[in-house]
Amino acid sequence: MKALMSSVIVPWQPPHPKPRIPVVCCSTINGSSSSSSEVNLQSSQPQECKSSNAEEPKQSEIWRLFREAQKNILHLNQHRLKAVEDLNKINIEKQLLVDRIEQLELEKQTAVAKPQDRLSMFWEILLRIDSMVLMGMVTTAEASNLRRLVMDHKVSVAEVFNDTLQKSDAEILAELRHFSERNPRNGFHIVHVCTEMAPLVSVGSLASYVTGLSCALQRKGHLVEVILPKYSSLDLDEVQGLQEIEAECYSYFNGQLHGNRIWTGVVYGIGVTLIQPLYYSSFFNRERVYGYSDDFERFTYFSRASLDYIVKSGKQPDVIHIHNWETAIIGPLFWDIIVKQGLEGTRVLLTCHDLNSQCLEHPEKLALCGLDPARLHRPDRLQDTTKAHLVNVLKGGVVYSNKVVIMSSIRSKGRVIHSLSHGLDHTLNIHKNKVVIAPCGFDNSTWDPSTDNFLPQQYSVKDMKGKAVCKAALQQHLGLSEHASPILVGCIFSEVSDVDLENLRAVFLKARRIDVQFIIKGISKISIVNKLGLVHEPLKDKNVRFIDGHDEKQSHLIFAGSDIILCQSFHDPVLQVPLKALKYGAAPIAVNSNDDGFRNFVEHDYETTNFSRFISSTFGNMSISQALDEIRNNPLKWKRKIMDAMEMDFSWDAECCDIHASAYTAINNL
């Protein structure tokens, strides 16, 4: 049967019936023989027909059975061929899977890891060294040498110690001591002591700044780590290798030493240390990050605990980077108390994101963290300029830091010091030589139209076809007319003031007379669309759409599909709308209260950022009416502006990172 099924099946045909041959019989009549063929033939015919009629049903049944068997064999053969085909596919897939498993095993054996994985392994080793110091396995001096060794051999160490999580501290220490090669060191060791870091805890612009700048600095060869309070509300999903160091770390506060739990992990390749107070456990076990009457005590405790931890763990960073008033107290703490504990080579850099928030307190509270109130309550130190009976914590950070970076994308250094310093102008003017201005950046690994997986078609300055596809997709998604002629204007706001509402109303009413489509999206925990209803009701129009809530894919599509993006300011450190608009080939036009509705003037001072100078020469002084006119009447000029903007790099890796690296270099040369 197997041989039969494997052969070619030929349909069976019944044989042709043989011709009947007449039978001639000889008979004897009256004793004589004679031929009687005629008689015999006649007599034999009825007998032969009778026999033939009996065989015909049997032959028909046989033929029917053969035909049925033939059909069954053909059907089985088809199933057999299909089964063989499926089996071949399964064998091919199985072989591919086996090959992939072998490849992964080979990569594991040879420690072939992605750069992010290498950074994670690298940081696991450094954090294990911290644990060794706290548990008394190594001295602070040896720990410092081991850190230098790891930092100088970042890639090779990550490959040698690829299974750190499976090894004990003693095993890692023994291997580190045998890893004796030395190479010259290039980058700086920077420790951020801060109150926010994306994605662990995000309230304002500080969170994305700390993460974005840290990643950019590490990509350029610097070693960066972050120390945070262990808030009960932390989002720990992105933390790799989170573990508690078994030894307690004590810090000074209110005349006593208090124990802290220390947690370590890695976030986006950055080493993170979390400090959890034991006695003052309620300090960071709250619903909000800021806004409590004891915020000074909370963040002063954290600042002192961070410095004590740095000393206890034997770290000797080049720079301790502090942020806003919440950790500005580290400036006087470091120079009056901590520097003498083995950190003579360390310098302090302060970043100010909001000069309006300064924290004024009674001088005697400085004693909580070990500072001398009488020594610091002086005009040239922490005494507030306006309220002389109080101390100004942010002022103390400015005075005691080696460098001060003020984050401002469009304002010049002179304008910030003299007009936007909220009473700190006298102090900033005295220390102006150590003040620098830096712009915010954005994450170009997530926001880049040439690699953006949220878009229906990616595009770049070299091939802009995808932008038209994105525009049509956005129009279709929101039920707008998909004709190519309308200009599409996107608006993305986190908050909307009454002034903005009036400006929006004026612009929409004016734009109704021309072919312009508007998309207004609110990104906030509180519904902005409800507030925008004041604009929406009188402007129920087929060319206007209002959207509320956070939708990542939708936000990307709005940037990609819009010709113009209206934004509240060119300095937008939280949403970074102008920077993303430029990258996606949409012109940012900023909101301001003048008769035209939207306009923003930037300065031409030489001590401004590259971003400010670029904006001032392109879209900074352009109203929405002027932008619409140029798109219609001078499309080639407009296209050139857009393409020039897309080629600019305003990410964290560019100007922002360079300014900070220069600041680190300057203070380490002091």
Side-chain angles (χ1 to χ4, degrees):
M1 175 62 72
K2 183 175 181 181
L4 176 62
M5 291 176 65
S6 61
S7 62
V8 178
I9 305 300
V10 179
W12 178 84
Q13 297 290 337
H16 295 289
K18 293 180 180 180
R20 292 175 180 169
I21 303 173
V23 179
V24 179
C25 298
C26 296
S27 61
T28 305
I29 302 176
N30 296 327
S32 64
S33 174
S34 66
S35 173
S36 59
S37 60
E38 184 177 344
V39 175
N40 286 331
L41 283 173
Q42 291 175 355
S43 63
S44 67
Q45 282 176 358
Q47 185 177 359
E48 185 177 287
C49 288
K50 184 177 180 180
S51 174
S52 174
N53 290 337
E55 290 179 1
E56 279 180 1
K58 188 180 293 184
Q59 289 178 349
S60 297
E61 179 65 17
I62 292 172
W63 294 344
R64 186 188 67 77
L65 291 173
F66 263 92
R67 282 194 295 270
E68 186 173 336
Q70 177 192 23
K71 289 179 182 178
N72 290 337
I73 291 172
L74 287 171
H75 183 69
L76 289 172
N77 194 51
Q78 289 174 351
H79 278 280
R80 183 190 68 84
L81 294 175
K82 182 67 167 60
V84 170
E85 183 181 351
D86 292 342
L87 182 61
N88 288 336
K89 288 182 180 178
I90 291 171
N91 287 333
I92 292 172
E93 291 174 358
K94 177 183 176 183
Q95 188 59 47
L96 290 173
L97 183 60
V98 170
D99 293 343
R100 179 58 180 160
I101 292 172
E102 291 176 353
Q103 181 184 357
L104 291 173
E105 287 294 330
L106 181 63
E107 289 179 358
K108 182 178 178 181
Q109 293 171 5
T110 56
V112 176
K114 296 178 181 179
Q116 188 89 339
D117 297 332
R118 282 205 186 101
L119 278 174
S120 297
M121 285 185 260
F122 163 71
W123 264 109
E124 284 170 10
I125 298 168
L126 289 176
L127 294 172
R128 293 289 281 274
I129 293 173
D130 294 353
S131 176
M132 295 173 198
V133 177
L134 295 175
M135 298 186 69
M137 296 176 63
V138 296
T139 64
T140 56
E142 184 180 7
S144 179
N145 291 333
L146 290 175
R147 287 192 190 92
R148 297 290 179 186
L149 173 67
V150 173
M151 289 162 59
D152 294 346
H153 300 272
K154 188 181 297 185
V155 175
S156 54
V157 165
E159 291 177 351
V160 171
F161 298 92
N162 62 82
D163 55 349
T164 53
L165 290 177
Q166 284 71 45
K167 295 181 179 179
S168 67
D169 287 348
E171 291 174 318
I172 293 175
L173 178 59
E175 293 184 17
L176 282 170
R177 284 170 171 165
H178 286 89
F179 195 84
S180 58
E181 296 179 1
R182 295 290 188 274
N183 279 332
R185 182 166 157 258
N186 298 319
F188 294 116
H189 179 194
I190 301 119
V191 177
H192 288 277
V193 183
C194 52
T195 55
E196 297 179 41
M197 178 191 184
L200 277 68
V201 52
S202 300
V203 178
S205 61
L206 176 60
S208 59
Y209 163 83
V210 169
T211 305
L213 177 63
S214 297
C215 291
L217 287 166
Q218 287 208 151
R219 283 191 286 269
K220 296 193 176 183
H222 304 286
L223 172 67
V224 188
E225 57 181 305
V226 176
I227 301 177
L228 286 166
K230 192 175 187 300
Y231 304 104
S232 59
S233 58
L234 283 178
D235 182 356
L236 301 175
D237 291 345
E238 296 294 336
V239 182
Q240 294 178 300
L242 180 65
Q243 60 180 340
E244 180 184 356
I245 296 178
E246 295 179 2
E248 285 186 358
C249 179
Y250 290 89
S251 60
Y252 178 89
F253 191 76
N254 198 17
Q256 299 181 48
L257 292 176
H258 299 280
N260 302 288
R261 286 179 178 167
I262 305 297
W263 300 76
T264 60
V266 181
V267 178
Y268 299 157
I270 304 162
V272 176
T273 299
L274 307 174
I275 296 180
Q276 181 181 12
L278 296 177
Y279 183 76
Y280 291 100
S281 58
S282 65
F283 274 178
F284 303 110
N285 189 22
R286 302 182 185 181
E287 183 180 353
R288 304 189 308 273
V289 174
Y290 311 118
Y292 296 98
S293 59
D294 61 346
D295 276 359
F296 174 81
E297 288 84 353
R298 297 170 65 222
F299 295 115
T300 297
Y301 180 96
F302 166 67
S303 296
R304 178 64 194 256
S306 298
L307 289 175
D308 288 336
Y309 167 73
I310 289 172
V311 171
K312 181 73 182 292
S313 61
K315 297 178 187 291
Q316 292 181 330
D318 297 297
V319 179
I320 296 177
H321 193 150
I322 59 180
H323 306 268
N324 298 332
W325 79 259
E326 286 83 3
T327 53
I329 199 71
I330 285 177
L333 269 174
F334 178 82
W335 291 110
D336 282 8
I337 299 173
I338 303 298
V339 68
K340 303 168 187 176
Q341 301 181 39
L343 295 175
E344 290 83 3
T346 301
R347 299 292 180 263
V348 179
L349 184 143
L350 167 68
T351 294
C352 297
H353 294 259
D354 182 8
L355 290 172
N356 190 35
S357 183
Q358 301 176 12
C359 187
L360 305 184
E361 276 294 350
H362 294 286
E364 56 269 20
K365 282 193 174 183
L366 295 174
L368 289 171
C369 59
L371 290 172
D372 182 358
R375 172 180 166 80
L376 297 175
H377 190 212
R378 292 168 35 176
D380 60 336
R381 296 182 183 175
L382 272 68
Q383 186 179 38
D384 187 64
T385 305
T386 305
K387 299 179 180 179
H389 64 290
L390 301 176
V391 291
N392 186 318
V393 179
L394 184 60
K395 176 183 176 180
V398 172
V399 172
Y400 277 87
S401 295
N402 300 103
K403 208 78 173 176
V404 178
V405 177
I406 298 176
M407 301 304 295
S408 177
S409 295
I410 60 172
R411 300 304 181 192
S412 67
K413 176 178 172 179
R415 177 74 183 278
V416 170
I417 290 175
H418 297 295
S419 304
L420 303 171
S421 55
H422 302 280
L424 284 178
D425 49 313
H426 179 70
T427 302
L428 290 172
N429 197 50
I430 292 173
H431 297 275
K432 63 182 178 182
N433 289 335
K434 64 182 183 185
V435 174
V436 295
I437 302 294
C440 296
F442 74 102
D443 183 5
N444 62 354
S445 65
T446 302
W447 293 92
D448 185 343
S450 65
T451 58
D452 194 333
N453 292 324
F454 286 119
L455 304 184
Q457 183 172 323
Q458 297 167 349
Y459 62 94
S460 67
V461 69
K462 294 181 180 178
D463 183 1
M464 294 287 285
K465 296 187 187 72
K467 187 164 179 68
V469 174
C470 293
K471 182 175 182 178
L474 178 61
Q475 290 169 324
Q476 184 178 16
H477 174 67
L478 296 176
L480 293 167
S481 170
E482 296 178 39
H483 297 301
S485 58
I487 298 171
L488 189 55
V489 179
C491 318
I492 299 180
F493 297 140
S494 59
E495 295 178 358
V496 179
S497 68
D498 292 337
V499 172
D500 295 339
L501 286 172
E502 289 303 318
N503 290 333
L504 284 168
R505 190 198 306 270
V507 170
F508 291 165
L509 287 171
K510 190 174 182 179
R512 292 175 77 174
R513 297 191 294 269
I514 55 178
D515 204 6
V516 179
Q517 296 174 339
F518 285 92
I519 299 172
I520 300 94
K521 181 175 178 64
I523 302 177
S524 176
K525 294 180 181 178
I526 301 173
S527 177
I528 290 176
V529 167
N530 291 337
K531 193 171 184 180
L532 286 170
L534 298 172
V535 177
H536 188 206
E537 285 304 318
L539 292 173
K540 288 184 177 178
D541 190 281
K542 64 178 182 180
N543 285 331
V544 181
R545 295 291 183 273
F546 292 86
I547 312 167
D548 203 5
H550 181 73
D551 184 327
E552 189 73 9
K553 182 177 181 180
Q554 192 180 69
S555 296
H556 283 246
L557 191 58
I558 289 174
F559 279 106
S562 297
D563 301 296
I564 295 172
I565 293 286
L566 297 180
C567 44
Q568 291 166 295
S569 171
F570 285 120
H571 178 64
D572 182 5
V574 178
L575 297 181
Q576 302 146 357
V577 168
L579 304 178
K580 295 170 184 176
L582 292 172
K583 188 67 178 177
Y584 279 70
I589 304 296
V591 177
N592 207 320
S593 57
N594 58 33
D595 56 355
D596 198 20
F598 290 84
R599 201 164 183 177
N600 188 81
F601 295 96
V602 292
E603 300 175 58
H604 300 272
D605 191 300
Y606 72 98
E607 286 190 277
T608 57
T609 63
N610 292 336
F611 172 76
S612 178
R613 288 190 286 272
F614 176 80
I615 284 294
S616 68
S617 66
T618 52
F619 308 108
N621 295 301
M622 183 176 285
S623 68
I624 184 68
S625 298
Q626 290 171 329
L628 295 173
D629 289 342
E630 188 166 309
I631 292 175
R632 294 183 181 282
N633 301 323
N634 200 341
L636 292 179
K637 181 180 179 182
W638 181 263
K639 183 179 179 181
R640 185 69 265 164
K641 280 184 180 179
I642 293 297
M643 296 181 73
D644 288 345
M646 291 181 68
E647 289 182 324
M648 300 295 291
D649 184 4
F650 295 120
S651 67
W652 294 114
D653 296 78
E655 186 179 11
C656 181
C657 182
D658 293 342
I659 288 174
H660 283 81
S662 297
Y664 299 147
T665 302
I667 60 179
N668 272 273
N669 291 333
L670 294 175

